[in-house]
Amino acid sequence: MLVSSSSASAQKRSPSHVGACVDRACEAAEIPGLIPYLEGHFSKGCRDGHPTTRHAWPAEDELKVDGYFEWMERLDKEAVSWIEMISWESIYECPAASCAILATHSLHHQARDSKEVFLSIFGVKNFDLEDSKLFLLDVAQRMQFCYDEILSNAHQQDLFVKLGLIVAVLELALARLRSWAHEIQPRNPHHEEGRLVWHDHYSGLYPPVNYAEQFDLQWRLALEQPGSDFGQESSVRLDNCSMNDMIASTFGRQNFLYCNESAREVHESLERGISQQNIVTLDISRFMGATALDVGCGFGRWTAMLQHIGAKVTSVDASPHAVISTRRFNPDTHQMTLFELPTLENFEAGFDTVICWGVLHHTHDPYKGFKIVASALREGGFLFIQVYNDRAKAGFHYTQSFRTRFHQLKTIDEKVHFLRKTHRAAGADVFDHLDGMMTFYNWVVHEQTVRTWFLNNGFADYWKVWNYKYLGRKRAVLDPVRDDFGVLLTDNIGESVEEGRNYPIVG
């Protein structure tokens, strides 16, 4: 696929610097005859105002204002196809002409299936085929290139005007092509728009992606290579010593499970502190026998810990290998995204505890996701979440640079090689580095935003727990004491312990 490596005026480029690259690797010579063609036509096409019989471009004195239909008749007479007019060769030769074709045809059709009509003009019959989708993505790139060239080249602007078109029309057409392309390949707010910090007014702007693919490589490598650095990381070790650390840092209970000295030495040699950093002391008796929902269970670390203290756990994850892993010790494990939670059996009954650990910031809509997991909680229950904030390395520029490079790699071997080569520079072990690279969405969320989430969704208490972990207790919903006319329905209008606190969040 050809892309421009410069937005400088095309008139100032020499034939040897046409900015042609193939598959993003700058190997234009791989396309037979491309370089000779460009060298032979670069100075002869409409870029310099000269007619070319190949595209039946009229001479300057022949082309009148509003000459688009006249030019189209000439194309038809010369048997020049539209697909040829939007080829990369034609775009390099005459951006104004290619832009005119793309703009007029993308805007002409107002029907609901205009995308399919547009593609059919260029011989694409079945939009559902992968090749058709790739073609549309490529067309959007071509349109963007044409647009950049016209904006940077006064001569191309003049030619575009002589066809009876204005740049505003071009921008409308480009917007439509982008929207079609984004249906196939969603735009990434971090890489393409520079949006890293989540704000709730973004809610609804971005589409979901295939969440089943997001973390699956991580859990797959941990399952298949238990003795490797992928299988020995804190997030995937479920031995008693690791569970003890989680129980101690969450409930304050030391040595809850049996862990002998030799096992403790192995554990401490591998532990990087992830299971020791909850730093909140909850009443363990409230969780014994309670119902719990582990949203985004991953390898099952939270599920296993809650089971050890006697909770009845339902686990869900979008990744197939996460489900395989957790189902080894919890049959009540389901493959679904958090946005599908309302379809879970008995969801309406609610849970005493909901864990959503490291999930929300990897979704297209963290606020919508929070509302769903909050709705899974019963009155008086606890919600424990972890989201990145801008003090975590997810908010650092180098992390986004690594992520951009990682997502350009195609094979698993290439990705693993990249991880091993760069994880020290990223200040992480290989597993943790992979954790930050894989996902399409990787938001950071300010504490003020998280506080608003809890406040607006019925939580009476809220605690920030060690940097970017948050715990909330859902208050009871009080029965009304007055009717619509202000008449008392009950004499009991005071606050009672049984009803629970209903004043704003503390802290």
Side-chain angles (χ1 to χ4, degrees):
M1 184 179 292
L2 298 176
V3 295
S4 171
S5 63
S6 171
S7 60
S9 173
Q11 289 181 316
K12 296 180 180 179
R13 296 180 190 165
S14 67
S16 60
H17 295 87
V18 294
C21 295
V22 179
D23 293 332
R24 306 177 186 268
C26 293
E27 298 173 351
E30 289 186 6
I31 298 182
L34 175 60
I35 296 300
Y37 174 83
L38 291 174
E39 290 177 346
H41 289 79
F42 198 77
S43 62
K44 297 179 182 179
C46 75
R47 284 188 181 275
D48 296 324
H50 302 299
T52 169
T53 54
R54 178 177 182 274
H55 283 157
W57 187 261
E60 294 296 296
D61 57 351
E62 295 178 11
L63 185 62
K64 302 175 182 178
V65 175
D66 297 333
Y68 179 77
F69 293 105
E70 174 191 339
W71 173 57
M72 292 294 286
E73 290 176 1
R74 187 177 296 215
L75 287 180
D76 186 57
K77 181 179 179 181
E78 298 290 336
V80 179
S81 67
W82 289 329
I83 195 70
E84 184 180 3
M85 282 303 308
I86 65 165
S87 69
W88 279 106
E89 292 91 336
S90 298
I91 290 172
Y92 280 118
E93 181 178 313
C94 193
S98 297
C99 260
I101 291 285
L102 289 169
T104 55
H105 285 89
S106 61
L107 292 176
H108 181 65
H109 303 283
Q110 300 299 324
R112 293 180 63 183
D113 60 346
S114 57
K115 172 169 50 315
E116 287 78 0
V117 175
F118 171 78
L119 288 174
S120 68
I121 291 171
F122 299 106
V124 178
K125 302 299 184 183
N126 189 345
F127 177 70
D128 293 327
L129 295 178
E130 193 63 28
D131 287 347
S132 303
K133 296 179 180 180
L134 291 175
F135 175 77
L136 188 55
L137 293 173
D138 188 35
V139 166
Q141 280 193 309
R142 300 179 197 204
M143 183 69 147
Q144 183 68 56
F145 178 84
C146 286
Y147 177 71
D148 293 340
E149 289 294 286
I150 287 179
L151 290 187
S152 63
N153 189 317
H155 179 66
Q156 293 298 312
Q157 294 171 24
D158 183 56
L159 293 176
F160 198 66
V161 169
K162 286 186 176 180
L163 289 173
L165 303 173
I166 60 175
V167 174
V169 170
L170 188 56
E171 290 177 342
L172 287 172
L174 181 58
R176 171 168 285 194
L177 276 172
R178 281 175 177 166
S179 68
W180 290 342
H182 292 158
E183 292 176 15
I184 304 167
Q185 181 174 291
R187 65 191 185 279
N188 188 288
H190 320 310
H191 304 159
E192 299 173 36
E193 299 175 356
R195 288 180 171 178
L196 181 62
V197 177
W198 170 260
H199 298 284
D200 287 345
H201 61 263
Y202 293 164
S203 184
L205 290 183
Y206 297 99
V209 292
N210 186 353
Y211 291 115
E213 297 178 350
Q214 299 293 283
F215 284 103
D216 201 53
L217 176 61
Q218 190 178 36
W219 311 129
R220 172 186 164 187
L221 291 173
L223 273 174
E224 295 177 350
Q225 304 174 22
S228 71
D229 41 9
F230 292 105
Q232 295 294 315
E233 204 269 352
S234 298
S235 296
V236 300
R237 284 188 290 108
L238 308 176
D239 57 274
N240 282 4
C241 300
S242 298
M243 294 293 100
N244 271 348
D245 277 354
M246 286 190 68
I247 293 170
S249 67
T250 308
F251 302 103
R253 289 287 191 92
Q254 301 293 327
N255 301 316
F256 190 84
L257 303 172
Y258 176 70
C259 174
N260 61 41
E261 189 63 30
S262 61
R264 165 62 59 180
E265 291 178 1
V266 172
H267 167 67
E268 291 181 349
S269 69
L270 297 172
E271 177 58 39
R272 64 178 176 88
I274 190 172
S275 62
Q276 302 170 345
Q277 295 172 340
N278 294 333
I279 317 178
V280 57
T281 303
L282 299 176
D283 181 0
I284 197 170
S285 64
R286 294 189 56 152
F287 295 82
M288 295 177 174
T291 58
L293 176 64
D294 189 0
V295 182
C297 60
F299 217 65
R301 185 165 57 99
W302 275 96
T303 294
M305 188 273 278
L306 290 168
Q307 283 183 326
H308 279 302
I309 67 172
K312 184 180 183 302
V313 188
T314 299
S315 309
V316 302
D317 201 291
S319 304
H321 283 89
V323 172
I324 292 171
S325 170
T326 305
R327 199 172 275 166
R328 293 175 301 175
F329 50 88
N330 184 26
D332 191 9
T333 301
H334 311 270
Q335 184 176 352
M336 63 172 58
T337 72
L338 73 84
F339 298 99
E340 298 171 311
L341 280 177
T343 66
L344 187 67
E345 188 176 359
N346 297 323
F347 178 84
E348 295 294 333
F351 298 84
D352 299 313
T353 300
V354 177
I355 307 293
C356 189
W357 203 256
V359 179
L360 293 169
H361 50 256
H362 293 310
T363 70
H364 64 286
D365 199 327
Y367 181 46
K368 180 179 178 181
F370 180 89
K371 289 192 290 185
I372 291 174
V373 296
S375 69
L377 200 63
R378 289 176 183 154
E379 297 171 0
F382 285 93
L383 172 63
F384 207 177
I385 70 170
Q386 184 251 33
V387 293
Y388 294 150
N389 64 21
D390 57 356
R391 299 188 181 188
K393 61 188 175 188
F396 297 166
H397 177 73
Y398 74 81
T399 301
Q400 297 308 313
S401 298
F402 280 140
R403 277 170 48 77
T404 300
R405 291 165 59 190
F406 182 85
H407 281 273
Q408 291 172 350
L409 303 174
K410 303 299 183 184
T411 68
I412 291 178
D413 288 342
E414 287 177 330
K415 292 178 178 178
V416 171
H417 176 72
F418 173 84
L419 294 168
R420 297 195 185 283
K421 186 177 179 181
T422 61
H423 75 91
R424 288 187 179 87
D429 58 39
V430 174
F431 186 96
D432 188 41
H433 192 32
L434 174 59
D435 188 81
M437 294 294 104
M438 291 182 295
T439 59
F440 187 84
Y441 295 107
N442 208 57
W443 299 103
V444 298
V445 188
H446 291 315
E447 181 185 354
Q448 295 95 322
T449 300
V450 177
R451 179 186 177 90
T452 302
W453 290 356
F454 279 95
L455 181 65
N456 291 344
N457 287 277
F459 287 81
D461 295 294
Y462 156 87
W463 301 272
K464 178 182 178 182
V465 184
W466 193 79
N467 199 5
Y468 42 80
K469 305 173 184 179
Y470 305 89
L471 176 69
R473 184 172 68 85
K474 201 168 189 180
R475 67 170 172 81
V477 178
L478 304 183
D479 293 330
V481 296
R482 300 177 187 274
D483 64 17
D484 290 343
F485 300 98
V487 178
L488 283 174
L489 300 174
T490 175
D491 292 333
N492 181 17
I493 60 173
E495 183 178 341
S496 67
V497 175
E498 289 75 19
E499 289 177 326
R501 293 155 59 189
N502 64 332
Y503 44 83
I505 289 174
V506 175

